[in-house]
Amino acid sequence: MSAVMNHHEARVATEDLIYREARLLDEKKWQDWLALYTEDALFWMPSWAGEYETISDPELELNLIYLKDRSHLEDRVFRLETGESFASVPMARTVHVVGGVTVDAVDNAEIRARASWIVHSYGIHGGITRGGWYEYTLRRGGDTLRIARKKITMIDDKLVGPVDFFHV
Amino acid sequence: MLKKNRIASFVDDRDGQFRVDRSIYLDDELFNAEMEFLFEGGWVYLAHESQIREPGDYFSTRIGRQPVFVVRKRDGGIAGHINACAHRGATLVPFEQGRANAFVCRFHGWSFNHDGRCIKIKGEETGAYPDGDPKERYPLTPIARLESYRGFIFASLKAEVPPLKEWLGPAHTWIDLLADQAPQGLEVVRGASTYTVLGNWKLQAENGADGYHVSTVHGVFAKTVANRQEKNKIDGMGKTEAGRMTGNVNSGSYHFGNGHLGVWAQHTTPQVRPSWRQKDRLDKEFAPERVEWMLNRGRNLFLFPNVFIMDNPSSQIRTLNPIAPGICEVTVRCVAPVGEAPDARAARMRKFEDFYLTSGMATSDDLAALEAVHTGGGARAARWNDFSRGMTAIRHGSEDADGAGIGLVPDLMTSNWDHEALYHGFYRVWKERLLAGAAA
Ligand code: FES
Ligand SMILES: [Fe+2]
């Protein structure tokens, strides 16, 4: 990957990565999925603080998920892989549909992008469709592009069933 | 309407055995009676005062099936009203929380002040109303009783209820244990999560006061955080108190009276609690037994019929909002001391997110378990849920040496949170309240 990247190249690279992530989650290839993240990656889904706004200070307010490095994502995978989580056996099938990828900024170090998502899951609660948007910071390094930050805004509330990292 | 003999038949309460009929989780007629006689027929928890701090701040919710809101008045008092316009019934406040100088109905434009008085009728002059000021005939319907205890606001749609403190009874001691950790008061932290449980509200009530499931359902949580701590060499407040999930620790379970329940378990690592920071102050201000209860014992308090107040390494207000026999909306909020140090607050929030959410690593498992019980309740060929564990270990009143330190004299208790005897109290009160309301 050349150091100079135009907007179009950045969008193509971003789409490649986001779509690959969606596919790995749907295929439940957790280790391959984890490898898309930098070691210091932030994975964040804020809670809603009213009809129109989510919380804004993830340190001091309530998040739905706020994991400050990849090892915490590994904890989530660890829990699933024990096969002992009541909520995760049987595990829901999911399909991620991601679109509207727009690149907001690109420089030598990073790409910042946003996308919309719909995830349909099917499990003991039947079919459930949730949606929202992603905000990504992707870190460039040599030939690689990895996820350094993923913020998920899920528009749904009054949630039915568990909502883990792979449901959104 | 539900008959008394049917209500009585739901609970099998005799020497050596305590069982409830699984249809209590499924029955439509029973659900309506519960709404009328329990939720709409006595004290329920409504909101925390920190949610309506400034004049005009309102918070809307429901009591049973009825939409209501509370508002902070200009004189600092709190008013509560049925959230339905006195004209033709449109709900008055469009948001769960907001601020309003007056409540203007969006249907025909009538206005009401904080006290619920009608202050404007659109086109009053051309309304051809009978003589006199028509506005005087249209106040909002007030919530019959509204009282706060240490910042927690309770309400009753029925006027004939005992004073709040009397109804709380010995359960108030556990509210005190939390409130006393907050010299500047408690506050609800910004943000909330609501989950729609596909299970009866009583299963949520049971689950939050059930110590017995912890080592099975949350064994995986304990294992996951143990792995995390090992891997990352985590120390201090970042650690998770997991003794209650894995080991044999001292514990207890209570029916305080009036359906209020409590379970506690000894912490093995109390220093991971954000409140541990306050130990020096607490040691100075309170007797050692009280401080022991505050800092060394995780406590889940259930106030009949609709709220949990939990004080563990993180702290929570969990409200139950039944929708139908098989659907209960549950909202969880973090409650914390005002002025808490930022690092302690952050640790409290991270512990909350780890455990307490349907997007977390433990509550999700709780909900799956209670939904499985709800589904199992459909097996009418197998009629009973059994609550006999602890049957021969029950003690009453002042026989509890642990409770004596904080003046706690429960109706019924055992010295083990694995025991199920506390539910005898819950279901006896549940049955009595329904019987008192029901037709012969
Ligand atoms: S219903 Fe409110 S003004 Fe008519
Ligand atoms: Fe639990």
Side-chain angles (χ1 to χ4, degrees), chain A residues 47 51 53 58-59 61-64 71 75-76 79 82 84-87 125 157-159 161 163, chain B residues 95-96 190-192 194-196 220 223-224 228 231-232 329 350 352-353 357-359 361 364-365 371:
Chain A
S47 80
E51 282 78 359
E53 54 179 7
E59 279 297 308
E61 299 174 339
L62 183 67
N63 305 285
L64 296 179
S71 80
D75 296 339
R76 297 268 169 160
R79 170 171 169 271
T82 62
E84 293 170 21
S85 154
F86 207 130
H125 298 89
D157 207 340
K158 301 195 175 178
L159 305 168
V163 180
Chain B
F95 298 103
E96 184 181 58
R190 191 153 176 266
T194 298
Y195 38 88
T196 303
V220 62
K223 199 186 269 190
T224 303
R228 173 204 294 176
K231 194 175 60 178
N232 295 345
E329 283 177 8
R350 301 300 85 78
F352 194 108
E353 292 151 4
L357 296 163
T358 191
S359 50
M361 298 193 291
S364 49
D365 292 325
E371 288 177 341

Side-chain angles (χ1 to χ4, degrees), chain B residues 85-90 92 105-110 112:
Chain B
C85 180
H87 177 222
R88 275 158 55 186
L92 278 174
C105 181
R106 295 183 295 164
F107 200 3
H108 310 100
W110 291 23
F112 303 86

Side-chain angles (χ1 to χ4, degrees), chain A residues 85-148:
Chain A
S85 154
F86 207 130
S88 317
V89 179
M91 205 180 293
R93 304 192 281 260
T94 63
V95 56
H96 286 63
V97 180
V98 185
V101 177
T102 49
V103 170
D104 291 323
V106 52
D107 63 26
N108 289 342
E110 285 181 354
I111 299 172
R112 289 212 315 277
R114 185 179 145 128
S116 311
W117 59 271
I118 297 276
V119 175
H120 183 73
S121 62
Y122 181 83
I124 58 165
H125 298 89
I128 295 174
T129 303
R130 306 186 184 98
W133 51 88
Y134 299 137
E135 287 159 75
Y136 280 101
T137 301
L138 307 178
R139 190 173 300 152
R140 304 176 61 193
D143 276 344
T144 63
L145 189 61
R146 290 200 297 166
I147 303 166

Side-chain angles (χ1 to χ4, degrees), chain B residues 123-303:
Chain B
E124 184 184 329
E125 331 72 58
T126 56
Y129 287 105
D131 282 349
D133 183 348
K135 296 192 288 302
E136 276 168 21
R137 289 201 297 275
Y138 299 104
L140 296 179
T141 302
I143 294 172
R145 296 281 298 276
L146 209 54
E147 265 188 66
S148 276
Y149 183 74
R150 305 210 63 177
F152 296 86
I153 307 169
F154 294 81
S156 172
L157 291 180
K158 191 175 120 191
E160 311 77 46
V161 284
L164 178 64
K165 183 88 186 280
E166 185 183 322
W167 171 78
L168 288 171
H172 86 267
T173 57
W174 280 26
I175 299 179
D176 294 346
L177 291 172
L178 176 62
D180 284 344
Q181 295 168 42
Q184 301 169 62
L186 291 164
E187 65 184 348
V188 168
V189 180
R190 191 153 176 266
S193 175
T194 298
Y195 38 88
T196 303
V197 185
L198 301 186
N200 186 262
W201 68 273
K202 295 186 291 300
L203 293 169
Q204 178 63 237
E206 290 175 16
N207 175 266
D210 181 36
Y212 194 30
H213 79 283
V214 173
S215 55
T216 39
V217 172
H218 304 311
V220 62
F221 179 84
K223 199 186 269 190
T224 303
V225 296
N227 176 66
R228 173 204 294 176
Q229 281 161 202
E230 172 62 32
K231 194 175 60 178
N232 295 345
K233 309 274 172 281
I234 293 172
D235 227 339
M237 281 189 298
K239 282 184 78 162
T240 300
E241 161 62 37
R244 70 189 191 280
M245 290 168 240
T246 49
N248 282 321
V249 293
N250 286 337
S251 63
S253 53
Y254 295 88
H255 174 243
F256 294 105
N258 288 338
H260 310 318
L261 306 177
V263 286
W264 66 269
Q266 194 77 28
H267 289 322
T268 49
T269 50
Q271 62 282 1
V272 309
R273 284 180 72 105
S275 316
W276 190 257
R277 282 294 177 71
Q278 303 188 52
K279 190 171 186 318
D280 288 347
R281 178 183 68 80
L282 295 171
D283 281 338
K284 272 187 217 116
E285 285 180 31
F286 298 102
E289 299 87 343
R290 279 190 83 68
V291 180
E292 168 72 12
W293 268 104
M294 284 185 210
L295 295 184
N296 291 355
R297 295 174 174 184
R299 283 163 276 113
N300 287 6
L301 168 66
F302 174 72
L303 298 174

Side-chain angles (χ1 to χ4, degrees), chain B residues 332-347:
Chain B
V332 293
R333 295 181 174 86
C334 186
V335 61
V338 171
E340 187 168 43
D343 62 332
R345 175 63 61 86

